[in-house]
Each structure stands twice: as C-alpha cells, then as structure tokens.
C-alpha cells in the first residue's frame, strides 16, 4: 500500500519525479466557497524555490503552479483540486555513473531494494522537488485557516549547525534568505555558509514552526492526536530526523512542577505542552521543532557500493543546497497547515453538535 | 473522524476507559496460521503492569487478556482478533471534586472543550490504561515478526531526568524494574526515585527502542515513510513530547561528511540514519528515541480553573507513577512492532513480485 | 487488508465467530451527547433474533448486548463504543464430518482457499451471526438520525419467492414475523413457508428498505456516492445477490421522459431516482431493494467435494432459516442507518460552512 | 470527506470537470516492473470515446492520455502514476440559461444544495466525462491482471430498452458500436436507436461484465467482500441504478436446490453465485450486471424549477447519448479491473504466507 496521500478528510495526493515532465497533486476535501487562484499559492512556492540566494541550490525552477480543477468563478466548488507544476530546468546530463551507484545517505539503495527499479535521474521520486506540491497544497489549507479561523502559521530557522536562533521578529523571517527571526545575526549565518561552501561540506539545521489562533478541540485521540499527526507530517519531510512538540526533549530533565502548565482565569501560564494536552489543541500556540540532517550531496568523496555490491567512490557535483534545512521552512509551514486543516474537518464532523461557545480558558494571556 | 485505529493493513482499534467495565481491542489483518494464545501476550502486559516495584504506581491491575475471536485450534484464522481486559481494581471513590476541575497538564480541559462531556473517573479515555491494549496487540505483531522474519525488538530507559543511560546489556533490561541497560547503575536510579518520591514531584524520561533484523524495503514514501509512521505511533503514546530517528536532533550540528553513513561491501559503517533512508528501511537496526514529560499527577498543589473558569487549586493524591517514562518501555516496543508489521504487509502487497534476493548491502558488518 | 470495518467517519468494526466465546463491535466516531443505553439497541436485536416464530431458525440466541465503553452518565462521550454479545447457545456437536467438507453455496471452500485454515464450527466468521453486531451498531446510528435529523428508516419483505409484497402499512411490518407490509397476506406467506419446510427446501427473497426525512446533500461523488455506498453496505449482507436504488432494473426499459423525475415548486413528481441524483440525496425517500438467495443449508442432499477434492454428499441438518431473507430486514435497516450516518458526518465535515437554509425543492409534496 | 478516491491498495483518485482545462487521475499502489505506455491505455479510451458512431454523442473528444509520472524506461516504478487528459472540444456557448436551472434527473440540484456553488458548464464534476480517467486507470489494472494472472475482462450490452442480448460471441463485442455479443442483431439495435432519436427520447440499458481467470481467494469479509466492492464500484458509474452478481434478482424466486452451485471433482456445475461465495472469489467467472437509466438530457421539454424555486421548463439541446448505457461498457470493465486489482493486492498482503497451491476445485469444468 503506497503512501502518497496525506490526511484523512483534507487529503493531498502528490505524484511526479524530479526529472519527469511534471509534478502534481490532488487536494480533495476542500470546503466549497473559498476564494482561490494560482496567485494565492505562488507566494509560498517562491519562498521554497531554489536559486533565490547564493546560500541555496542554484537550480532554476520556476515552480509555476496551475490549478486544473475544483475552482470555478474564483471559488472552490468542493470538487478535487488538481495542481500541476511542469518541470522546466532538467539539465540534460550523463547519469550513466550514478545509475549503478548507491550514494551514501540517499534513498538510492532503499528504492532499489524495495522496488527493484529506480528512476535515478535527480533522485526521481525521492527528490525534495516533490515538496513543492506540498507547499502548494498547504497554501490552500493555510488560506482557509487564515480566512475562516484566523489561524496564522509561521516557520523559522531555529538552528543552523551550532548556531541557535530565536524567533524575535516574526516579520523579519521572510525578509532574509535564511528565514531567520533574529535579523541582526544574518551576517553571522552568511559567514558560516560561505565557510561551509568553501569546505565542500554540508550542515544540519533545526526549523521551528508555530500556529497561532488554533481553536481548542482539534486532535483525535488515542492514535491520531494532533501532536502525533504533526509528528507524522513533519517527519515525512525529506531529511527530517526528529520532531519535538513544545518543550520536547527538554521535558526529559524537567520535573512535574516545572513542566505542567498552570492555569489561571486569564489563561495558561506557560506552554511546555506546545499547545496540546491529551493530543487535543488547547487554544495556545501549537509549537513544533524539527531536526534536519545535513545533505549527503557533497563534493567531498564518500565510500559506497554499486548495484553489484562492489566498492565505489561517490562524489556529488551539481547544484545542491549545503543546508537543506533552510528551504525546509515553508515546507514545515505547509505540513502544519495540512495537519490543522485535516483536524479541523475531522473535529467538526464528529463534534459540530457541541456548543463550545467561548473557550473556558483564554488562549493567550496578555495578548 | 475519530482516531482510535492505528495502522492500515495490520490495524488495531482500541476502546475502553480506565474506570469502565472493560477495555478491548480489535486486531484486523493478522496473517492466518500464526500460533497464538493468551500466554503469548501476557508477558509484555505484565512488564507494563503497574504495581511491580515501588518505583511505579501501586495500583493493582491484573491486566489479564482474553482472546475472543480470530484464533482457532491455536492458530490465527485471518479473521479479526478481539482482545478484552476487564477492569478489576476500580477503587470506589469520590470524584465530586475533580469532575469540575481541569488538572493542569492533563487532558481534562481539552476533552471537555472538544466533546462537551467528560468521563472524569481516572482520566477516562485519556488514561494511559488504554496502552495495555496496545501492548497486547503489539504482542501479536511481535510474535509474527520474530517467527517469520527474525525481527527482535528491544526498548530501554535511555534517560531518567538528568541521568543518561546506555544499552550495554540487552538481556539485563528485563531483569530490573527500570528497563535499564546498565544494570550496575540501578542503585543510582533507585536513589534518585526515592528522593523524588519524598519531594512529591515527578520527572521526565527518554526511552530508546530498536528493531534488529528488519529487512530492507519497508516504508512507503512519500508520506508514509517508515520513520514518519514511527513518529506517528510513538508520539501517540501518552506523555511523549518528542521523537528522534537515528542521530535525531544531534544531526543538526553534524556535517555531511560526518552524518552520511558510508557503505562498504561489508555493510554500512555507521547508523546515523537510524535504519531508514528516504523513509525506507536499509536493513540496519531501526532506532528511535522518545522524550516523555513528567506526569502532572503530583501531590504538590498547582493552580488551575474549573469548568466555570474560576480559579482552583489542584492536588493529586492516589497511586501515580512518579516517572511515567519507565513503564513506557514496553509500550514503545509495541508501537515499533505495530508499525513494522503494518509496513511489512504494505510492502508485500505492492512489491511481492520484486525478486529482492539477498540484499546488496549486508545489514550488520561484523555481526 | 482485511475488511471488517464499515464506514469512514462513523465506523463499525466487528469481530467474532458463531461458536467462539463472544462477538463484538467497536463503533467509532459517534457524536458526543447522544442519550444511549443497551435498551436502545436491544429492540432491533430482538427483531433479528432467530427463534421468534416457526418460520425462522429455532436456535435460541439471547443476543443480549453490553455496552463496554463510550457512554458515561447515559450519554455518548465521543470515545469509541465497545459492544459485546456473548455466545450462549453453542450446541456441543460433532463437527468431524463438515470439517473436511465444502458445503455447496457456502463460504467453506473460499475461506479454506484464502486463509488455508477454517473455523468450521457453524460457519465461523462467515456465519450470519455476525450481523447481530451490525444491527446493534446500526441502532446507534438510527437513534442519532431519528433524534437529531428526524430520519425514519423502515425495511419490509418485498418478495418471498414468487410472492410480491407492497408496503401498504408501515406500522404493520413489525406486527408479523415476516416483516410484511400487507398484513392480510400473512396467511398466504405462512402457507408457503409450511409447504417449503415440508419439502426440505429453501427460497429466496427481496427486502426493501426506505429512509424518510434524509436531508438533501448527503453523498460524496464521484466514487462514494450515497447510492454506491448503499450498494456496498447492502451487498455485504450475507446472501445478498443484487441491489437496486429507486426504479433499479426497471430503469432499463424506461424512456427518459418516463424515468426523469420532473420537478414543480411543490416538489418532485415521482421518485424513480430513489432519492439520489448524481450520488447525492435529494431530500426524497431514499429507497433500495435487495435480492437474497435461498440458503444452501437444506436437508436435501447436494453434491460436493472435500478438502482433498474427493466427491462427497452434503446434507445439512440443524436449525436453519428456510428463507434467510426474512430476518435480513432489520439488517438492511441497520446498513441503511450506518451509510446515512457516515454520510451525514462526511457531508458536514466538508460543507458545514454552506448555508443550506430551507431546501429549494420540498422533498415530499402532499405530505 | 470527499469521495474521489477508489480502492484501498490500488487507488485511483480522479479530478477535473467537463469544461475545465484538463482532467486527471493519480494511480497509486501499482506494482513496479509492469511494462506500460500511453498506447496501452489509449485503446480502451477510444472504445469509450463519443463520436465514434451515430448512436452515441457527436462530441469530438480526442481523449489523449499522457502519463506524467511513475513510469521509467517503459516500466512502472512503484511511484504514483499521474494521468492527464486535456479538454479540447469545449464549445463556447451560452450557459446563462442553465446556470439557474435544475435539470430534472440531473445532479444540478443536489450539487447546488450540497456545495452552495456549482460549475454548471456541461455538468462540471458530475459529467460522465470523468469516467474517461477511470477507463485509463482501469487499463493499468487490466494489463497487470492479464499479464501476471491471466485474467481477462469482458463487458457487453446485455439489454437495450426492451431488447435482451446474450453474450454469444466474445470477440464480436468490439466489432460493433453497441458492444453487442449477438452480432446478427446489430441491425435491430440500429433501427431501435434511429426510431428513438427521431422521438427525441432516450432509453435505459443493462450491461454485463465478466472476469475470467480470477484466482480463488479474492475478497475481504465481512464488509469488503468482493461482490460488495464490485457493487460499490459499479454503482458509482454515472446513471447506474442497480447491480447484480451471478443470478442476482433471479435468486429471489429460486429454491435452494436450484440456486446452490453443486460441486464435483471436475468443478462447479453452475454459477448462480457469480464467482463469489461468502464474498470471496471461487475461481469461476466473476459475473455482474448493471442497470443504467435513460439519460435525462433529451430535447423533449420537462418541468422543473430554478434556484429560486420558480417553475421553469427544461429542454436539453446539444450532443448527448440517447442511450448512455452503450458507452458504459468499457467503464464497467474498468471498474471490474480496479476492484479485482485492489483485491489481489489486499489478498496477498495478508495471505502471502498461505501455500494455496493448485486450487482444490477446478474453476471451469470443460474449459
């Protein structure tokens, strides 16, 4: 059973390979009546797009998305929304060498072993190019959540290798190529990246993602908790090796008196929970953090084997991101949007009868 | 859309509340012909059961599981397997106070807000008592994986508050009440827990879980990667706030030359990947680590509000685990087993035609 | 991938064999706040129960259902509802003969071929005894539909062998053991059945089922149309060989001018559509009709083979229904209820924003 | 929850409207290694295509399908297969009138009521044009089933209004525009259709569909029986009002001695079951029959109302099939192929361990 569909009620099915004619997605379950055009999706696609600064891949992908269905007279109709991005910058190159090689740290070997056949051109289906469609689909969810529920979603670079970064300035994030929320530290990041590029090496990163304005009640215990589905969605992003909610791994060394978020009539006094209790949103910010590994596509040679099990040396040339984590920021936002949207629909399916009224606990004291 | 079913092809649906007459599960999709009896499941249930040492809850639950269907003449038939555990130790007590209170750090508020009604007795559906059924269901998966594929699964306590613990001795884990893989450090843990109990506080923990002998090829890109489904399953365990695969959050500060697991004809030279590449198992150990928060059920008073939004003080008495992470070890093993079993069936549904033969890369050099 | 779950948002998972210790079901997705007790479900179970007249099987099953979870203080909580029926009338008998036989017209052979193992006692999982749980689960859906939406569901015996029957008197149906809507013809049916029993043969039947008060808008094109899901649910009942919606097979010989249901401001002028257009409910009565084959469990000998392919003669003794169609009436009602309930939740998940107001077309002119 | 995906393991998700830029589908779960090109799918598309005889719609749709992904070097890779058909013959016309009308017998009213918005151009999403993608997707399933399992699927026109037709000549079916298996009766059909066209009316039809060579064991009790999923798939075809398996509604008047298919060591002696027992394939021909209503798109005026509930008269001009049942034949074949393919994968997921060997009962005595 293949796994190219995400979500249960608001579903996204993606298809396409990095060097095929096109990539696409079908978004099913979008409520009717939402104003939607390609321009609404293009913004986030452009943020994810490579080639926008010298610190990301220099490939030229235009990533122009077309809406093929599900929208009429500028509004969604309730029918499935077909999205298409044609591939334009497929450099014609000699793949003879890598077709028999398993690049270390890549999916080459596992695809070969699983399917017995592999589209080796640019990673094929395992290429992060697929995430462009997630960003497009996530844009639809995001628009609905913003317009109908007032939910705002924001990702940021939380760590670049050894450099930890806070989210001081929500607005600054989009004004620099690192999605950095401490704008004054951008030169530090640039210097780090320049050094790295000279070495020919790559580096890991952490990305934070936060949703504000999420109503209490989203999440479906016991297995499809909001945090569990977030973990699923975020871990499904290429290169992600870890997911935390709220205090995350810091909880391990916390005591109960420290971790539990006490409550007053004005609201919660802290947010170690990251906006979920028992797998259901509390109304506080939903906060997650993901760890991204350094890309294995580097020009420093690495040992590997070929399809016959013979030793070989792998050197990756070409236009790769030295830190894939940077461009993961809009993808993490998209997955957050998709999970929240799906859970909003799941929640109201079962619980629309409940008169929730004003939540008992204000989400955000002092805001 | 409720979320009480886990898995796609090997599905587990649980039901039941901590203070209802019984809890149960339906396991659907188990291959026919597997030898199975209640005794096969009772062992793991006893490992999870409270009351086995002074360091866990002193509740007396017998957790005797009955198989109601799906097994005939000692073998599974392919029909759904009904499992039932009757509740026996439900202390009759006065719930008048907590019925209107939202305990901080608990699901009380979110269940109330979501469903408009709440079974407040002992946490109801949000109680970790539900995980007993996961352990029972996981036992079926575990038996199949062991007998048919030679997969062995092992969890261990990786960190207790500030105390980090290695898995030195795989066999020692079950011989002490902490699931500790460094048996000589058990007294240190005991002293820590005794101190904690005196304080009346609780502490977080990290649990590791590892599967050895997993064949290459399991995992369904792009959304249902093996690591993504593991993240889903593990994050759905009560109190879990973070999930890592392989190097996890340590990847953030790693360089590409360090992180990528180089390959020789004798096998992989390291396992930063944690046994998955591109979301598909490599044949190496599948390794995950989870962070568990400290329980909020402590006797030190905490501020909260009641259902009318009025301030109240919450003191939890009763028989609670000061470190819920300890007993989470068999639950993490169960979720690992369920994810692997589900993915084994998913894989062979689509790929049974592939003649995979001997994997090109030996999983475990030197073993 | 096993198929023991029905529905997407209001799901029913059944388990259990005719001669195991118990059968059960888990109903997940029920909205919270519905008043519910065992007594609400027992009525329909008693209608399905054998042994209530000389025209159905003389087995004595009490079919007492227990609610194990999901209900608190007399109301559903949104948690999964566990249902259990213990088996009490399992006659201890010698199954030595049938364990190696494939009874013609039964699932014996196909279960054997599919699973390689078979619980031969009383049909095991393929026994219609499983449908008791569908009736119980359907009772929950039915209660919600009636109380919240005003939907009433009614099944009736539409044909017994050659005898066609109308639904003249909705109330009379439950007052006779045939679910016959023409009460004055009950003696005719009794005479027919007595003759049949003397012959030792069995007979087919058709059952009609109708839902009144269904709001317009239920059904999910293009695959999960309301009629398509009804066809799925009804065809999944033991012994069903055909499903019609509205005019059904009579449509084949109809002309467009005759079939299309014209519309006036007072409502639709006919209901050849059976209450659905484009797979979505119109607000008219949703009407279906199913064909049930005669049971193959008859005492007249039939030719067959055993597990080794050797010829054998099969004679079925014991307590069997000469017309399984009769008792199928409450089962058909239950499946109708389950399909409508599931689609009600599916519809509101996506379309709760739509201000549908008063339907443009009154459903029922003159009512 | 939208319903634009069919199947569980071999899934087809379609999108697109009759007058949008394109229609498409994603086929997920196809086993890797299948030789596949657009030419393999075009044949069935051409059989479904309108404009090929004067007895079907004169619209000119080229229905050229493109494969956008999932195929590499002429073979499927296990990745999702994206299919696209661009719309070319969208006559620019004045839809002003029908945009406010509800055509009787059409989905106009129900889409309006459900979604609050409607793409009225040519039926939008409810147009049978969507079925072109089912035919394309079904072609993939069909090729796999034929090459790997030897399954052959054949549909035929079983009844045209009052004219019943047998399947005498399997090969003749594709040699006439009616999919008629009694070639000598084609002139009779032509005369009937010519008369009908002159009247301006339309007529219903029945289509049969048969799969030969299906291995025993396919089907997932208790809900996802092979026949139940066939009923779902076939009833989801536009205009279908009834589905029968095997003897179908004729079973109602059959006695048990007549209906049960007796068995000899040489095979089954009859096939009233239509190739399934207990919802699982027996190895015999799987046989279904569907009833299709006459199209409501006729030029004879009909009464209806508009979106404001005011009376209006509807006359449909344009290029419509007077008997939509004729072109439904390849669609029914496609749905049969999709159901069988899905069930083949579902079966082997759970039961690949079963050593089924040669089936005990030969499927086809005398063949």
């Amino acid at each position: 059973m293949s796994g190219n569909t995400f979500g249960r009620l608001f579903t996204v099915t993606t298809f396409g390979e990095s060097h095929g004619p096109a990539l696409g997605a079908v978004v099913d379950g979008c409520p009717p009546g939402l104003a939607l055009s390609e321009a609404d999706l293009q913004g986030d696609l452009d943020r994810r797009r490579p080639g926008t600064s010298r610190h990301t891949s220099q490939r030229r992908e235009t990533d122009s998305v077309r809406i093929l269905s599900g929208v009429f007279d500028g509004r969604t109709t309730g029918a499935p929304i077909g999205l298409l991005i044609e591939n334009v910058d497929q450099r014609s190159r000699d793949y003879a060498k890598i077709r028999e090689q398993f690049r270390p740290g890549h999916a080459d070997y596992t695809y070969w072993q699983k399917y017995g056949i592999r589209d080796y051109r640019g990673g094929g289906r395992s290429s992060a190019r697929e995430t462009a469609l997630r960003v497009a689909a996530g844009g639809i969810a995001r628009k609905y959540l913003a317009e109908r529920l007032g939910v705002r979603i924001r990702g940021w670079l939380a760590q670049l290798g050894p450099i930890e970064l806070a989210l001081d300035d929500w607005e600054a994030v989009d004004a620099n190529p690192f999605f950095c929320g401490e704008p004054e530290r951008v030169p530090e990041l640039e210097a780090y990246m320049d050094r790295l590029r000279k070495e020919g090496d790559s580096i890991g990163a952490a990305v934070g993602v936060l949703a504000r304005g999420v109503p209490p009640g989203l999440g479906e215990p016991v297995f499809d908790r909001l945090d569990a589905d977030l973990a699923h969605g975020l871990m499904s992003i290429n290169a992600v090796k870890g997911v935390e909610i709220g205090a995350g791994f810091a909880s391990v060394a916390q005591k109960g008196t420290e971790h539990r978020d006490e409550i007053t009539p004005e609201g919660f006094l802290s947010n170690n929970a990251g906006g979920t209790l028992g797998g259901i949103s509390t109304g506080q910010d939903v906060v997650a953090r993901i760890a991204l590994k350094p890309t294995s596509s580097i020009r420093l040679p690495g040992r590997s084997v070929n399809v016959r099990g013979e030793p070989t040396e792998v050197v990756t040339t070409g236009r790769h991101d030295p830190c894939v984590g940077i461009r993961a920021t809009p993808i993490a936002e998209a997955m957050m949007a998709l999970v929240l949207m799906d859970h909003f629909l799941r929640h109201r399916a079962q619980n629309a009868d409940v008169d929730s009224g004003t939540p008992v606990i204000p989400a955000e004291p002092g805001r």
Side-chain angles (χ1 to χ4, degrees), chain A residues 120-143:
Chain A
Y120 44 76
R121 302 164 307 163
R125 181 67 181 151
S126 72
S127 162
R129 180 134 183 71
E130 178 269 341
T131 59
L133 273 303
R134 302 188 185 198
V135 170
I140 301 173
R142 199 165 181 161
K143 190 156 195 282

Side-chain angles (χ1 to χ4, degrees), chain A residues 199-270:
Chain A
E199 289 173 23
D201 216 333
S202 61
I203 191 71
V207 166
V209 61
L210 175 159
R212 184 159 293 170
V214 176
L218 308 193
E220 299 296 332
V222 292
F223 292 111
D224 296 350
R225 294 166 193 243
L226 185 61
D227 41 0
D229 273 6
L230 263 175
H232 180 172
L234 293 170
M235 193 70 96
S236 79
I237 299 174
N238 304 45
V240 172
K241 302 303 293 177
V243 178
E244 299 182 307
I245 306 293
F249 277 90
S251 312
V252 173
Q254 286 178 326
K255 294 205 169 161
T257 41
E258 182 184 1
H259 180 91
R260 64 175 168 182
D261 302 308
E262 289 183 294
I263 311 169
T264 69
E266 290 72 44
F268 292 92
L269 295 179
S270 54

Side-chain angles (χ1 to χ4, degrees), chain A residues 4 11 21 29-30 74 80 89 115 134 144 181 192 194 199 204 209-210 226 232 242 252 273 286 301 315 333-334 356:
Chain A
N4 296 288
T11 63
C30 185
D89 182 32
Y115 301 113
R134 302 188 185 198
Y144 184 93
Y192 186 88
D194 287 339
E199 289 173 23
V209 61
L210 175 159
L226 185 61
H232 180 172
V252 173
V286 176
V315 174
E333 293 172 353
S356 44

Side-chain angles (χ1 to χ4, degrees), chain A residues 91-99 120-122 317:
Chain A
R91 286 209 188 160
S92 183
R93 38 182 289 198
D94 182 9
Y95 286 105
K97 191 163 182 195
I98 81 161
R99 69 185 290 179
Y120 44 76
R121 302 164 307 163
T317 54

Side-chain angles (χ1 to χ4, degrees), chain A residues 291-316:
Chain A
L292 292 115
K293 69 174 187 181
T295 183
S296 306
S297 298
I298 49 182
R299 61 168 208 264
L300 302 174
R303 279 170 291 175
S304 192
V305 299
N306 63 18
V307 296
R308 288 172 300 279
E310 301 156 349
T312 181
E313 192 183 77
V314 173
V315 174
T316 308

Side-chain angles (χ1 to χ4, degrees), chain A residues 154-158 164-174 176 179-186 210 212 367:
Chain A
R154 166 54 74 201
W156 72 96
L157 187 67
E164 295 186 40
L165 297 158
L167 178 60
D168 289 346
D169 182 350
W170 178 298
E171 300 307 327
V173 163
D174 275 353
N176 67 75
F179 301 99
C180 172
E182 293 187 76
E184 68 285 2
R185 296 181 65 189
V186 167
L210 175 159
R212 184 159 293 170
R367 269 207 288 265

